[in-house]
Amino acid sequence: MSTNIVHHLYLDHHRWLFNWLNRKLGDSADAADIAQDTFIRIIHTSANENVAADAINEPRAYLTVVAKRLVANLYRRRVLEKAYLDSLAQFPMTATPSPEHQALILETLQKIDGLLDELPPKVRDAFLLSQLDGLTYAQIAMQLNVSERSVKRYMVQAMAKCILLMP
């Protein structure tokens, strides 16, 4: 998709998208951020995946799908942040990490959440059952109703994704 087409898409539909998001979210700042992120995502996707200009027959429907995904990501990040802050509240003030360290931890948690979201469901479930619940591969296989060999493949896939996340 050429930048000219994205430019026209932006000019023709940005205000509509902002208004739609503002009604949905009830927050003009979040609506403005998501609207901008929607067009950034479209530019990034079109550059990396050679999306054809005629692929967008229904521009508002296309924008809505992209924006809904970004809204879901926003809510997921907020839930994650709230859970993290709630867990911090359980620590004594002397054991609470510095604001900078808290920001780094939260950023890392968000990266991990994004990584897990990209994994196929069974791979993600196997990884979480292993790493968080401490289940053996045999126990995971029984719980997921798959072979132990499949669990091993799932774990390799999840670990490979984790390695790619590392700087």
Side-chain angles (χ1 to χ4, degrees), residues 29-124:
D30 284 345
D33 288 345
I34 297 291
Q36 286 302 113
D37 289 349
T38 299
F39 287 97
I40 290 169
R41 177 73 52 96
I42 290 169
I43 290 167
H44 182 328
T45 302
S46 64
N48 289 334
E49 297 178 12
N50 296 322
V51 175
D54 58 345
I56 304 178
N57 295 326
E58 298 290 332
R60 289 187 177 181
Y62 180 69
L63 291 169
T64 301
V65 168
V66 174
K68 282 181 178 179
R69 288 181 186 148
L70 292 169
V71 168
N73 289 344
L74 172 70
Y75 287 143
R76 191 170 63 241
R77 279 194 315 272
R78 286 186 177 164
V79 166
L80 185 63
E81 184 175 357
K82 183 180 179 333
Y84 173 63
L85 292 175
D86 289 348
S87 73
L88 273 181
Q90 304 301 314
F91 287 97
M93 287 300 282
T94 56
T96 303
S98 70
E100 295 83 11
H101 196 211
Q102 289 179 28
L104 286 172
I105 292 169
L106 188 56
E107 181 182 332
T108 302
L109 287 171
Q110 290 171 346
K111 284 181 182 179
I112 292 168
D113 180 57
L115 170 132
L116 291 172
D117 192 47
E118 293 174 7
L119 293 173
K122 283 198 176 185
V123 174
R124 179 180 53 244

Side-chain angles (χ1 to χ4, degrees), residues 15-16 27 38 40 48 56 117 123 126 132 136 153 166:
R15 181 165 302 285
W16 171 85
D27 184 310
T38 299
I40 290 169
N48 289 334
I56 304 178
D117 192 47
V123 174
L132 298 181
T136 66
R153 279 196 323 267
M166 294 171 57

Side-chain angles (χ1 to χ4, degrees), residues 148-164:
E148 200 169 328
R149 184 179 172 119
S150 291
V151 172
K152 289 177 185 175
R153 279 196 323 267
Y154 296 159
M155 291 302 293
V156 167
Q157 188 177 350
M159 292 297 186
K161 192 78 165 175
C162 289
I163 289 170
L164 293 175

Side-chain angles (χ1 to χ4, degrees), residues 126 129 135-152 154:
L129 289 169
L135 298 184
T136 66
Y137 287 7
Q139 292 168 321
I140 295 168
M142 284 180 48
Q143 188 158 342
L144 296 180
N145 198 26
V146 297
S147 69
E148 200 169 328
R149 184 179 172 119
S150 291
V151 172
K152 289 177 185 175
Y154 296 159

